[in-house]
Amino acid sequence: MAHAVPTRGTSTGARTGAGTGASGASGHTPPDVFGARTHLLAKWAMPLAIGLVYGYWAASIRRHGGPITGWNLLFGFMTVLAFAILWYVVRAVADRLPREGHAVLWGAFAGSALGFLYSGSGVAMFTCVLVSLLLAAAVATGLYYHYATHQDAEEARTARTRNPVRTGTT
């Protein structure tokens, strides 16, 4: 006689969440604490907030410890604007690419952002390019690994729910 084996986290073996989506290995879907409006706000506010830090950082590097001037403020705000717009564009384009292109695009964005900041500090151009390429390669490799492992696991979960394997018969 065949018996159903309970899955982790349940006593009966019943599925506790959706079979696809953000479910973990046990099929349990974590609760969504925030609403759709909060997620939308965070999606648009996060690049702006990070851009403000980036723009302040770029402006402080450019003034080399000197006094804050109007041109320095203008440079900082233009840097914020450019950073945020590029983030939005990269996010929009990367969503349409396969995982390899997605990872490479975000790696290029991260490397270019670091290269811009580092070049303003007055280091040799070779050093700036080398550090930027190293960061871009590290980000692209890490993101590719993340996307490959998560997408492959998601595809395997989807395939299992569509074609369940029957091991025992009565």
Side-chain angles (χ1 to χ4, degrees):
M1 180 157 96
H3 294 282
V5 178
T7 60
R8 179 193 270 168
T10 65
S11 60
T12 63
R15 287 273 191 212
T16 57
T20 60
S23 61
S26 65
H28 176 71
T29 304
D32 189 8
V33 179
F34 302 110
R37 184 175 180 199
T38 306
H39 284 289
L40 182 65
L41 179 67
K43 179 181 176 181
W44 290 100
M46 177 78 86
L48 189 61
I50 294 173
L52 284 169
V53 172
Y54 185 83
Y56 172 75
W57 194 356
S60 67
I61 289 173
R62 185 176 175 121
R63 66 185 170 97
H64 299 291
I68 297 174
T69 64
W71 290 112
N72 189 252
L73 287 173
L74 180 66
F75 176 76
F77 284 119
M78 289 295 114
T79 304
V80 170
L81 184 66
F83 183 87
I85 288 173
L86 283 173
W87 182 304
Y88 296 134
V89 168
V90 166
R91 185 176 60 200
V93 171
D95 288 342
R96 294 176 177 89
L97 295 175
R99 62 181 166 212
E100 296 86 4
H102 193 126
V104 168
L105 187 60
W106 278 108
F109 177 73
S112 299
L114 177 70
F116 177 73
L117 287 179
Y118 201 42
S119 68
S121 65
V123 298
M125 190 55 61
F126 177 76
T127 306
C128 177
V129 169
L130 181 66
V131 169
S132 298
L133 287 175
L134 288 173
L135 178 72
V139 168
T141 302
L143 285 176
Y144 176 75
Y145 175 77
H146 173 77
Y147 297 139
T149 56
H150 284 72
Q151 286 178 355
D152 289 346
E154 185 68 33
E155 290 167 2
R157 263 193 302 276
T158 304
R160 261 187 273 132
T161 58
R162 287 184 186 159
N163 302 321
V165 177
R166 301 191 182 192
T167 57
T169 58
T170 43

